[in-house]
Amino acid sequence: MTLNTSISEREENSRMISESAAAALADGVARARGLRFSSPGFDRAQWSEFAELGWLSLRLPEDRGGLGMGVSEYCALAQQLGRALVPEPLIGAIGALGMLPDAALTEVVEGRRIVLPALSCSADSPTELRAGKLYGTAVHVPMAAGADAFLVRLDAGDYALIDASADGLTMDCANTHDGGHLGTLHFDGAAAEQVSNDNPDTWEDATLATAAYLQGVAEASYELTLDFLKTRQQFGKPIGSYQALQHRMVDLYLELSLLRVSIAGATAAIDDGATGAARRAEVSRARARASRAADVICRQAVQLHGGIGYTDEADIGLFLRKNMTLQASFGGQSMHRRRFYNEKGVGQ
Amino acid sequence: MTLNTSISEREENSRMISESAAAALADGVARARGLRFSSPGFDRAQWSEFAELGWLSLRLPEDRGGLGMGVSEYCALAQQLGRALVPEPLIGAIGALGMLPDAALTEVVEGRRIVLPALSCSADSPTELRAGKLYGTAVHVPMAAGADAFLVRLDAGDYALIDASADGLTMDCANTHDGGHLGTLHFDGAAAEQVSNDNPDTWEDATLATAAYLQGVAEASYELTLDFLKTRQQFGKPIGSYQALQHRMVDLYLELSLLRVSIAGATAAIDDGATGAARRAEVSRARARASRAADVICRQAVQLHGGIGYTDEADIGLFLRKNMTLQASFGGQSMHRRRFYNEKGVGQ
Amino acid sequence: MNTPVTDKDMNTLDNAAFRTEIRTWIEANYPPELRNPPLRLHLKENWPWYKLLSDKGWLAPGWPREYGGMGLSPEKHVILTEEFERHGAARLNDHGISLLGPLLIKYATEAQKAHFLPRILAGQDIWCQGYSEPGSGSDLASLRTSAELDGDEWVINGQKTWTTLANDANWIFLLVRTDKTVKKQRGISFILVPMDAPGVTVRPILNLEMHDEFCEVFLDNVRVPAENLVGEINQGWTMAKALLGFERLFLGSPRQAGYALSRLVMLAEKLGVADDPVLSDQIAQYALDLADHKLLFASFLREIAQGNPVGSEISLLKISQSELFQRISSTMMDIAGEAAGLVDPIFAQGALNPAGQFLQARPTTIYGGTAEIQRNIIAKQVLELPG
Amino acid sequence: MNTPVTDKDMNTLDNAAFRTEIRTWIEANYPPELRNPPLRLHLKENWPWYKLLSDKGWLAPGWPREYGGMGLSPEKHVILTEEFERHGAARLNDHGISLLGPLLIKYATEAQKAHFLPRILAGQDIWCQGYSEPGSGSDLASLRTSAELDGDEWVINGQKTWTTLANDANWIFLLVRTDKTVKKQRGISFILVPMDAPGVTVRPILNLEMHDEFCEVFLDNVRVPAENLVGEINQGWTMAKALLGFERLFLGSPRQAGYALSRLVMLAEKLGVADDPVLSDQIAQYALDLADHKLLFASFLREIAQGNPVGSEISLLKISQSELFQRISSTMMDIAGEAAGLVDPIFAQGALNPAGQFLQARPTTIYGGTAEIQRNIIAKQVLELPG
């Protein structure tokens, strides 16, 4: 892993990955709309292309065959994913990949095998591995129907890797408003392999990348709405000329500006070497801000679009739906607000 | 006490008391301004007039020589007191009066003797009565410097009546921003008389009347601001023509409207016979709303007045200062919100 | 007339007795499978309820008894509505009943009344309302759908949108422009059009709940007889505006916010977070807001019941209830955590569906005049602010 | 020139060394009794600090060294300000230093510069700023104070208001109208007036803190020599606007909100409510808002330090910090309970004064352009919204 890359190097890398992602995702929102409520809700061919672009191995150290990039570059990518409402579960997959043993890596990095994380378990039915057999119930597994395997967090703390087709694994899927789904995985003595957690920061990265994805959602919503205000006419003038709406847009712009600096601040601090509590505080500050900003921006965006915003055919609703689904992904606002405060205090 | 007066009777009484109070307080805000930061911060001659108008004995049952009016009429009066920023501590005195033994009543009802309540004691120095001698420290006693006697709540629950000039009683006063003060009373074996609490609702009345006083403060602030918006010109037109300010005023109008119905609802329910938990819920709903509405209205009123609102010579600041001082009088927003919820639930 | 008429004037009952009678009947008769539907029902779904009310003579509470209505006072009408809502009764395809009927009664010819009113009461005609257009949302009076007289027929061209349940209706009442030379409110007329007339096309619009409650209606050289115009020509705007009073009251009913708050409390219990102090404090504030909102609603009701005119300040009710509903639904989303995005209820029992509540709360600050338009109205007409 | 000049160019130090030098010196020299004054100090109170800085040559960090300033880069200027604020150093009567000086350096004649600049540095002249007028608060360009040339003297009539510390000043710089026939921004000039000129009257205005920080200044046939005009006639507006950049940055400094948050936490501890979960959750949100605000502030600083032009979006900083300061101060009031109204600190130690913080927070959304004006500016100039 290349440590302590300079700021200018990171900025250059981020710009490049951002541009190439924007190009690769040029048909973004229309593609996302088309995949809604299908099974598995995303496109495996697209997944292979993402893998070819190196997105899956972006954070993997160079000595393990990855690109060894920083969270700055990762978040630059995640923003583009959010702008295009990319339904493929890349953030989960990249997180899981960071935990895999070397032997399991190649297929995954090349996009031939999709391993998704299953991190929460049912309180009534905790996940446990006994003699190579997995028991219990994992819940809230995004895009579970598209996985070839799952990296299951065990109730006791470690992980288990299990094939999606394993005997003794059954799955229920429930649709989410963004057109995807959450899977519930029931394990009844299914064969699984224990994986020891040697990369505790992998979920910190996923948390921050989720914040960046939400930043992309917020940015695109904001831009759609600003355009709408400039063009939609009522009472003989563009609605963006009304002061009450102008001030509301300024409030959204402030929230978005705080989100931008919050994520940029976190990525810079982490790539500069922040660890432990300092790192967690950075991640939580950015993640809490992201949920807050995306939520207020998407809600107001729909309101400012008026009746049109309430139709399924208007794209703005797709952003609201994605925001609804991601609000609590890798921890919601209140949890991260609390964690930030516990790790950091009032920062005086 | 005349129980269960009809709504129309109460409305008529309230209208009358409201009109006579408005007439008696015609020089209201200017008088209040003049008395600020003086000692005792209010006017004894005025007190006598209030007594003559029957305001002190308004809630006292007819069989004890009072007017036996309901909380509807009391709150109609308190609103007028708030509109005129009356500094005389009538609400406290009326509360104390409701607890006094018959023998002590006449002088007080006639305004010749001012008995004010001292309800909170210092945690370090609890108030206690031992063999007719009072010990401890009472805190946050509004307008203490003007009292002839105090009705002191003992830490154990009962009350003690003590002369302001009693040996062993010393007093410190600290100015409040409304131009009044809070007294700290140190009791070091001062002679006092025990008073048993036979009217637990007297402080409920005082709490509700404080809400009504704050309603008066909020109404007057709102009206001053609405006038200001209609007359103050900037960029060649009245500032009230700007949509952002119009919408802000509508929000204040909504808050004020909720406050009005909240207090009217509470007074009607209580005069119709609500007791116990139902009564406490009514009082707390109205009191919590009053703090919230007065606070948002007074703060926005100063903001909408612009630079002028920040000068001491503008009357709007007097309302803000009174609001600051009364926010927590007889319990603040969060305490009453909690009590309302505990007594009433979500009301489904 | 062939229409069902109730056998007694229910205004003669006192309020409590009236409420009991309504409640008893609805509990005994309302189809249980239609209670608290998560989405607005289509005609084919709510028809059993329509038919029941029609047979009972309770379909049109506000119409005079001589026209087959219940002739209820506003106060009793509100009690009836409260009891329906309390039981979770579905809303009907009610544009013919609540909007067109009163307008016909006030402005139509005897022939029009005799023809159309009984057909509404019998469920033969289901009406939809064609007011909004794609270019005229908040600015309704800028509508452009035109009607031109050609011999003894009106020729109608244009497009309507947000037409609720147009896909269920066999008739539509339209506001159309009949004079382009005068100021915009002045040249508008009120016309009745059968949905099967050549040139009428309906396209459902999916909303954020993926429901086709709203439609677009295209009118392409649609011809109707001259006598389908109601009232005087170019007076349509005034007529339509005059009938909005009672509708506006119901947009401010505490029903949605109250229902949402009860679901929030149940959800918190199910999720085991009911004792969280931050959440409790929020719920307490919502409970307080709801209680005060109910008092505000009751104060307007009292004015209407006493026959006092209620002005634009009634818009306060809609702002207050819709924004409270939105705040409550946001908290449901917050506590639902990762399940917040689910389409189906997260606990089937009690229909605990945070995302559904959240999405249903969205349009409440948009339809019937956006929250911004309501604030403009109050600022100008109640606070009398300039400009 | 007789002015004190520092013996070295401190820009040559790296940032850390520069910060250390400032910090060490201020800790050794700053008058302890002047730390963290609750109200803005008058000249007679802050004079020891003025004199210290003057003697040290650190009074004018932003002026070029050739004029007796420190000639600091914006980046180092910010570090210096951070260190002063960190130590709780009082703000001086600084209008001559921070506003007039740069304007004279850019626009004045050599004679004007040679006369006025050294007198500011030596503390001989204390300036105040005469821009606002009673009728022109947010709409500054509508000012009406006039100056007419009569022979070789300007005759000035009018009234200024919100003139900070005019009661301490011996000179005032004014924006005055010198041409009433052109559009309002065009006919404004910049003129220097001694406060002891006949016809100048000062009336202090008490503010909500009962402090006379602001004054009204009346100008009644005040005559000054023609050469007291700075720059070109009718160019005063443009000149004054051009110098606002750095001032605007400091209106968005996280200082007030950060100080208030530290006091809130101390107050909560003193009152024994620091563990209240609702309060903790609020404080956590403030801490988060403050942290993000600091990052936003730093991002603007970086632009300025790199010499990039910073546009109207800098108004975001002022909105963000002032409204956060207000939210924090409101929570201080909430937890202070019955003591919230007290004029003096409720705990002397730590100067815990909720009402003082609350009142100080009020004008931050008013002065330097109200929060509403700032939003107008961003809407038009940054978001490019129409109208």
Side-chain angles (χ1 to χ4, degrees):
Chain A
M1 183 145 69
T2 320
L3 274 173
N4 294 323
T5 49
S6 72
I7 294 179
S8 60
E9 220 176 310
R10 293 197 306 253
E11 280 177 355
E12 178 59 15
N13 284 343
S14 298
R15 195 186 54 72
M16 278 171 54
I17 202 160
S18 192
E19 281 174 12
S20 81
L25 302 169
D27 56 353
V29 174
R31 187 178 78 86
R33 178 183 286 281
L35 287 164
R36 293 189 304 159
F37 306 114
S38 67
S39 183
F42 66 93
D43 180 0
R44 272 198 95 107
Q46 189 77 48
W47 188 271
S48 302
E49 282 180 43
F50 293 162
E52 269 174 49
L53 287 163
W55 292 357
L56 287 163
S57 59
L58 174 116
R59 282 288 283 155
L60 198 66
E62 285 171 306
D63 57 17
R64 296 189 69 202
L67 302 181
M69 284 184 171
V71 289
S72 302
E73 292 91 335
Y74 185 17
C75 287
L77 171 64
Q79 280 169 43
Q80 295 300 326
L81 300 179
R83 293 185 71 93
L85 297 174
V86 168
E88 285 73 18
L90 278 161
I91 292 173
I94 292 170
L97 185 151
M99 305 272 303
L100 293 182
D102 283 341
L105 269 180
T106 313
E107 272 190 318
V108 173
V109 166
E110 290 175 0
R112 287 180 287 128
R113 181 171 166 83
I114 298 179
V115 182
L116 296 182
L119 300 176
S120 309
C121 67
S122 160
D124 311 331
S125 173
T127 43
E128 41 184 348
L129 191 66
R130 292 198 304 266
K133 303 285 183 185
L134 189 56
Y135 299 88
T137 303
V139 296
H140 302 146
V141 182
M143 295 304 196
D148 300 312
F150 298 99
L151 181 78
V152 180
R153 177 146 57 197
L154 302 173
D155 195 42
D158 238 347
Y159 292 80
L161 188 61
I162 183 170
D163 214 88
S165 61
D167 282 340
L169 162 53
T170 52
M171 190 191 309
D172 303 319
C173 291
N175 281 346
T176 45
H177 278 282
D178 63 345
H181 62 270
L182 295 178
T184 302
L185 311 181
H186 306 280
F187 307 111
D188 186 17
E193 172 193 350
Q194 178 143 1
V195 175
S196 289
N197 175 3
D198 60 352
N199 186 5
D201 287 332
T202 194
W203 308 123
E204 294 294 321
D205 281 8
T207 308
L208 188 57
T210 304
Y213 190 108
L214 278 170
Q215 181 187 346
V217 170
E219 303 243 16
S221 300
Y222 171 83
E223 289 163 18
L224 276 175
T225 306
L226 190 59
D227 279 352
F228 186 80
L229 287 182
K230 289 177 182 177
T231 49
R232 170 75 172 171
Q233 305 266 329
Q234 292 283 274
F235 302 103
K237 48 184 185 172
I239 61 173
S241 62
Y242 291 97
Q243 193 189 32
L245 304 195
Q246 292 185 343
H247 284 199
R248 192 115 30 106
M249 276 312 279
V250 172
D251 289 339
L252 301 187
Y253 177 61
L254 172 57
E255 201 57 43
L256 184 59
S257 300
L258 291 171
L259 173 55
R260 287 171 179 160
V261 295
S262 195
I263 290 184
T267 57
I270 292 168
D271 285 335
D272 282 345
T275 54
R279 180 181 182 138
R280 288 192 295 275
E282 291 289 332
V283 168
S284 281
R285 190 200 61 240
R287 183 68 192 81
R289 175 66 57 192
S291 273
R292 187 184 185 87
D295 196 42
V296 64
I297 289 170
C298 290
R299 281 192 280 120
Q300 283 297 335
V302 167
Q303 174 70 20
L304 290 166
H305 274 77
I308 293 156
Y310 191 56
T311 64
D312 184 62
E313 65 198 65
D315 282 342
I316 194 67
L318 301 181
F319 289 93
L320 178 74
R321 292 157 174 285
K322 184 59 84 181
N323 167 65
M324 291 165 68
T325 312
L326 285 187
Q327 270 294 308
S329 181
F330 294 99
Q333 251 189 87
S334 61
M335 174 258 157
H336 280 291
R337 180 165 59 224
R338 200 158 42 232
R339 197 178 77 151
F340 168 77
Y341 187 56
N342 291 342
E343 302 288 15
K344 179 87 174 181
V346 296
Q348 284 304 301
Chain B
M1 181 145 74
T2 320
L3 273 174
N4 295 324
T5 50
S6 71
I7 293 179
S8 61
E9 219 176 310
R10 292 198 305 255
E11 279 177 356
E12 178 60 14
N13 284 342
S14 298
R15 195 186 55 72
M16 279 172 54
I17 202 160
S18 192
E19 282 174 11
S20 81
L25 301 169
D27 55 354
V29 175
R31 187 179 78 85
R33 178 183 286 282
L35 287 163
R36 292 190 303 160
F37 306 114
S38 67
S39 183
F42 66 92
D43 180 359
R44 273 200 93 106
Q46 190 77 49
W47 189 271
S48 303
E49 282 180 42
F50 293 163
E52 270 174 47
L53 286 163
W55 292 358
L56 286 164
S57 58
L58 175 116
R59 283 287 284 154
L60 198 67
E62 285 172 305
D63 57 17
R64 297 189 70 202
L67 301 181
M69 284 184 170
V71 288
S72 301
E73 292 91 334
Y74 184 18
C75 285
L77 171 65
Q79 280 169 43
Q80 294 300 326
L81 300 179
R83 293 184 72 92
L85 296 173
V86 168
E88 285 74 19
L90 277 161
I91 292 173
I94 292 170
L97 186 151
M99 306 273 303
L100 293 181
D102 283 343
L105 269 181
T106 313
E107 274 191 314
V108 173
V109 165
E110 290 175 359
R112 288 179 286 125
R113 182 172 166 82
I114 298 179
V115 183
L116 296 183
L119 300 177
S120 308
C121 68
S122 159
D124 311 329
S125 174
T127 44
E128 42 183 348
L129 191 66
R130 293 199 304 266
K133 302 286 183 184
L134 189 56
Y135 298 88
T137 303
V139 296
H140 302 146
V141 182
M143 295 304 197
D148 300 312
F150 297 100
L151 182 78
V152 180
R153 176 145 56 194
L154 302 172
D155 195 43
D158 237 347
Y159 292 81
L161 189 59
I162 183 171
D163 215 86
S165 61
D167 282 340
L169 162 53
T170 52
M171 190 192 307
D172 304 318
C173 291
N175 281 346
T176 45
H177 278 281
D178 64 345
H181 62 270
L182 295 178
T184 303
L185 311 180
H186 306 280
F187 307 110
D188 185 18
E193 175 193 347
Q194 178 143 0
V195 175
S196 289
N197 175 3
D198 61 352
N199 186 5
D201 287 332
T202 193
W203 307 124
E204 294 293 322
D205 281 9
T207 307
L208 187 57
T210 303
Y213 190 107
L214 278 170
Q215 181 187 346
V217 169
E219 303 241 16
S221 300
Y222 170 82
E223 289 163 17
L224 276 175
T225 306
L226 190 58
D227 279 353
F228 186 79
L229 288 181
K230 290 176 182 175
T231 50
R232 170 75 172 171
Q233 306 265 330
Q234 292 282 275
F235 302 102
K237 48 184 186 173
I239 61 174
S241 63
Y242 291 97
Q243 194 189 33
L245 304 195
Q246 291 186 343
H247 284 200
R248 192 113 32 104
M249 276 312 279
V250 172
D251 288 339
L252 302 187
Y253 177 62
L254 172 58
E255 201 57 43
L256 185 59
S257 300
L258 291 171
L259 173 55
R260 286 170 178 159
V261 294
S262 194
I263 291 184
T267 56
I270 293 168
D271 285 336
D272 281 345
T275 55
R279 181 180 182 138
R280 287 192 296 275
E282 292 287 332
V283 168
S284 280
R285 190 201 60 239
R287 183 67 191 82
R289 175 66 57 190
S291 272
R292 188 183 184 86
D295 196 42
V296 64
I297 290 170
C298 289
R299 280 192 281 119
Q300 283 297 335
V302 166
Q303 175 69 21
L304 290 166
H305 273 76
I308 291 157
Y310 192 55
T311 64
D312 184 61
E313 63 199 66
D315 282 343
I316 193 68
L318 300 181
F319 290 93
L320 178 74
R321 291 156 174 287
K322 185 60 83 181
N323 168 65
M324 291 164 68
T325 312
L326 286 186
Q327 271 294 307
S329 183
F330 295 99
Q333 252 188 84
S334 59
M335 174 257 156
H336 280 292
R337 180 166 59 224
R338 200 157 42 231
R339 198 179 76 152
F340 168 77
Y341 187 57
N342 290 342
E343 302 288 16
K344 179 85 174 182
V346 296
Q348 283 305 300
Chain C
M1 293 198 289
N2 243 338
T3 54
V5 179
T6 51
D7 52 355
K8 64 176 176 190
D9 179 358
M10 294 184 77
N11 285 308
T12 59
L13 297 173
D14 72 24
N15 287 346
F18 175 76
R19 189 183 289 279
T20 304
E21 180 159 343
I22 301 291
R23 186 177 298 187
T24 306
W25 182 80
I26 193 171
E27 284 175 356
N29 292 282
Y30 187 81
E33 68 281 9
L34 297 186
R35 284 189 76 173
N36 286 315
L39 298 172
R40 186 150 182 184
L41 300 183
H42 277 293
L43 183 67
K44 63 174 187 291
E45 298 160 317
N46 67 38
W47 177 250
W49 177 224
Y50 197 113
K51 190 70 174 45
L52 257 176
L53 286 173
S54 169
D55 291 347
K56 179 75 175 171
W58 285 6
L59 191 63
W63 296 11
R65 285 166 52 76
E66 60 190 289
Y67 293 109
M70 297 171 79
L72 293 186
S73 69
E75 196 176 4
K76 288 222 164 42
H77 193 164
V78 165
I79 291 172
L80 177 130
T81 309
E82 282 174 357
E83 288 303 314
F84 281 17
E85 290 184 348
R86 192 183 153 281
H87 194 73
R91 192 167 166 190
L92 300 171
N93 295 52
D94 57 5
H95 286 93
I97 304 158
S98 61
L99 291 170
L100 180 65
L103 190 138
L104 290 180
I105 289 166
K106 190 156 179 189
Y107 298 105
T109 62
E110 287 309 316
Q112 286 170 324
K113 286 191 269 193
H115 177 73
F116 286 113
L117 296 178
R119 296 178 58 85
I120 294 170
L121 292 173
Q124 292 168 277
D125 289 344
I126 300 297
W127 287 84
C128 62
Q129 176 205 59
Y131 287 3
S132 290
E133 297 187 5
S136 60
S138 292
D139 183 15
L140 182 55
S142 69
L143 62 86
R144 291 186 300 179
T145 295
S146 66
E148 288 178 30
L149 206 53
D150 178 28
D152 58 355
E153 286 185 328
W154 290 105
V155 184
I156 304 170
N157 280 288
Q159 181 188 348
K160 295 292 178 180
T161 191
W162 313 125
T163 310
T164 306
L165 299 178
N167 37 6
D168 289 349
N170 62 333
W171 280 85
I172 185 169
F173 51 95
L174 295 175
L175 287 179
V176 293
R177 189 158 301 285
T178 39
D179 187 343
K180 294 174 184 168
T181 65
V182 293
K183 273 187 76 178
K184 57 187 189 180
Q185 284 87 344
R186 300 253 190 83
I188 292 173
S189 297
F190 194 97
I191 286 185
L192 312 178
V193 175
M195 295 295 279
D196 60 1
V200 177
T201 320
V202 174
R203 190 179 76 88
I205 304 169
L206 281 192
N207 64 21
L208 287 186
E209 297 178 81
M210 305 301 275
H211 186 51
D212 61 348
E213 176 177 345
F214 303 113
C215 299
E216 291 183 294
V217 178
F218 299 89
L219 301 139
D220 181 19
N221 280 315
V222 176
R223 305 183 81 93
V224 297
E227 65 262 30
N228 279 23
L229 189 123
V230 178
E232 286 179 54
I233 191 166
N234 296 333
Q235 291 301 308
W237 181 260
T238 313
M239 288 157 48
K241 279 272 152 181
L243 270 294
L244 287 179
F246 217 65
E247 264 298 291
R248 284 155 69 216
L249 177 67
F250 281 106
L251 290 175
S253 147
R255 182 180 55 88
Q256 290 170 304
Y259 181 78
L261 183 55
S262 72
R263 297 300 113 161
L264 170 59
V265 170
M266 282 176 67
L267 183 67
E269 281 162 9
K270 288 266 191 188
L271 293 171
V273 295
D275 293 332
D276 178 88
V278 177
L279 177 63
S280 295
D281 195 57
Q282 268 178 339
I283 290 177
Q285 184 62 48
Y286 297 150
L288 217 141
D289 288 342
L290 180 63
D292 284 341
H293 177 79
K294 284 179 173 175
L295 289 167
L296 189 64
F297 183 73
S299 78
F300 279 98
L301 206 56
R302 209 156 41 234
E303 293 300 311
I304 290 171
Q306 290 171 359
N308 296 332
V310 171
S312 308
E313 65 267 38
I314 202 168
S315 290
L316 277 184
L317 282 180
K318 178 165 185 279
I319 296 173
S320 169
Q321 120 80 20
S322 57
E323 295 181 356
L324 175 58
F325 180 25
Q326 292 188 342
R327 291 195 298 277
I328 295 169
S329 73
S330 282
T331 301
M332 287 185 80
M333 293 293 277
D334 288 345
I335 68 172
E338 289 178 283
L342 291 174
V343 173
D344 290 324
I346 57 177
F347 293 104
Q349 206 194 5
L352 294 172
N353 189 349
Q357 290 287 305
F358 177 80
L359 287 175
Q360 273 170 45
R362 294 308 101 203
T364 61
T365 50
I366 296 172
Y367 60 54
T370 66
E372 292 79 18
I373 294 289
Q374 307 287 350
R375 284 185 169 82
N376 286 348
I377 290 171
I378 297 172
K380 301 268 163 46
Q381 294 177 20
V382 183
L383 312 192
E384 299 180 342
L385 284 164
Chain D
M1 294 198 286
N2 244 337
T3 54
V5 178
T6 52
D7 52 355
K8 63 176 176 187
D9 179 358
M10 294 184 77
N11 286 310
T12 59
L13 297 174
D14 71 26
N15 286 347
F18 175 76
R19 188 183 291 277
T20 303
E21 180 160 344
I22 301 290
R23 186 177 298 188
T24 307
W25 182 81
I26 194 171
E27 284 176 355
N29 293 283
Y30 188 81
E33 68 280 8
L34 297 186
R35 284 188 74 174
N36 285 314
L39 299 171
R40 185 148 182 186
L41 300 184
H42 277 292
L43 183 67
K44 63 175 187 291
E45 298 161 317
N46 67 39
W47 178 250
W49 177 223
Y50 198 113
K51 188 71 175 46
L52 257 176
L53 286 172
S54 169
D55 290 346
K56 179 75 174 172
W58 286 5
L59 192 62
W63 296 11
R65 284 165 53 76
E66 60 189 293
Y67 294 108
M70 296 171 79
L72 293 185
S73 68
E75 196 176 5
K76 288 221 163 44
H77 192 164
V78 165
I79 292 173
L80 177 132
T81 310
E82 282 175 356
E83 288 304 313
F84 281 17
E85 290 183 346
R86 191 183 155 280
H87 193 74
R91 192 166 167 192
L92 299 171
N93 295 54
D94 57 6
H95 287 93
I97 302 158
S98 61
L99 291 171
L100 181 65
L103 189 138
L104 290 179
I105 289 166
K106 190 156 181 188
Y107 298 105
T109 62
E110 287 309 314
Q112 286 171 325
K113 287 191 268 192
H115 178 73
F116 286 113
L117 296 178
R119 296 178 58 86
I120 293 170
L121 293 173
Q124 291 168 279
D125 288 344
I126 301 297
W127 287 83
C128 62
Q129 177 205 59
Y131 288 2
S132 291
E133 298 186 6
S136 59
S138 292
D139 183 15
L140 183 56
S142 70
L143 61 87
R144 291 186 301 180
T145 295
S146 66
E148 289 177 25
L149 206 53
D150 178 29
D152 59 355
E153 286 186 328
W154 291 104
V155 184
I156 304 169
N157 279 288
Q159 181 188 346
K160 294 293 177 178
T161 192
W162 313 124
T163 310
T164 306
L165 300 177
N167 37 7
D168 288 350
N170 61 334
W171 280 84
I172 184 169
F173 52 94
L174 296 174
L175 287 179
V176 294
R177 188 159 302 284
T178 39
D179 187 343
K180 295 173 184 168
T181 64
V182 292
K183 272 189 77 178
K184 57 188 188 177
Q185 285 88 344
R186 299 253 191 83
I188 292 173
S189 298
F190 193 96
I191 286 183
L192 311 178
V193 176
M195 295 296 279
D196 60 0
V200 177
T201 321
V202 173
R203 191 179 76 88
I205 305 168
L206 281 191
N207 65 21
L208 288 186
E209 297 179 80
M210 304 302 274
H211 186 51
D212 62 347
E213 178 178 342
F214 304 113
C215 300
E216 291 183 295
V217 178
F218 299 90
L219 301 138
D220 181 20
N221 280 314
V222 175
R223 305 183 79 94
V224 297
E227 65 262 30
N228 279 24
L229 188 123
V230 178
E232 286 179 54
I233 191 166
N234 296 332
Q235 292 300 307
W237 180 261
T238 312
M239 287 157 49
K241 280 272 153 181
L243 270 295
L244 287 178
F246 218 64
E247 266 297 291
R248 284 154 68 215
L249 178 67
F250 280 106
L251 289 174
S253 145
R255 182 180 56 89
Q256 290 171 304
Y259 181 79
L261 183 54
S262 72
R263 297 300 112 160
L264 171 59
V265 170
M266 282 175 68
L267 184 67
E269 281 163 10
K270 288 264 191 190
L271 293 170
V273 296
D275 292 333
D276 178 89
V278 177
L279 178 63
S280 294
D281 194 57
Q282 268 178 338
I283 290 178
Q285 183 63 48
Y286 297 151
L288 217 141
D289 288 342
L290 181 63
D292 284 341
H293 177 78
K294 284 178 174 175
L295 289 167
L296 189 64
F297 184 72
S299 77
F300 280 99
L301 207 56
R302 209 156 38 235
E303 292 300 312
I304 290 172
Q306 291 172 358
N308 296 332
V310 171
S312 307
E313 65 266 38
I314 203 167
S315 290
L316 279 183
L317 282 180
K318 180 167 184 278
I319 296 173
S320 169
Q321 120 79 21
S322 57
E323 296 181 355
L324 175 58
F325 180 25
Q326 292 188 340
R327 291 195 297 277
I328 295 169
S329 74
S330 282
T331 301
M332 287 185 80
M333 294 292 278
D334 288 346
I335 68 172
E338 289 178 282
L342 290 174
V343 173
D344 291 323
I346 58 177
F347 293 104
Q349 208 195 1
L352 294 171
N353 189 349
Q357 290 287 305
F358 177 79
L359 287 175
Q360 275 169 45
R362 294 308 102 203
T364 61
T365 48
I366 296 172
Y367 60 52
T370 64
E372 292 79 17
I373 293 289
Q374 307 287 352
R375 284 186 169 82
N376 286 348
I377 290 172
I378 297 172
K380 302 266 165 46
Q381 296 177 19
V382 184
L383 311 192
E384 298 180 343
L385 284 164

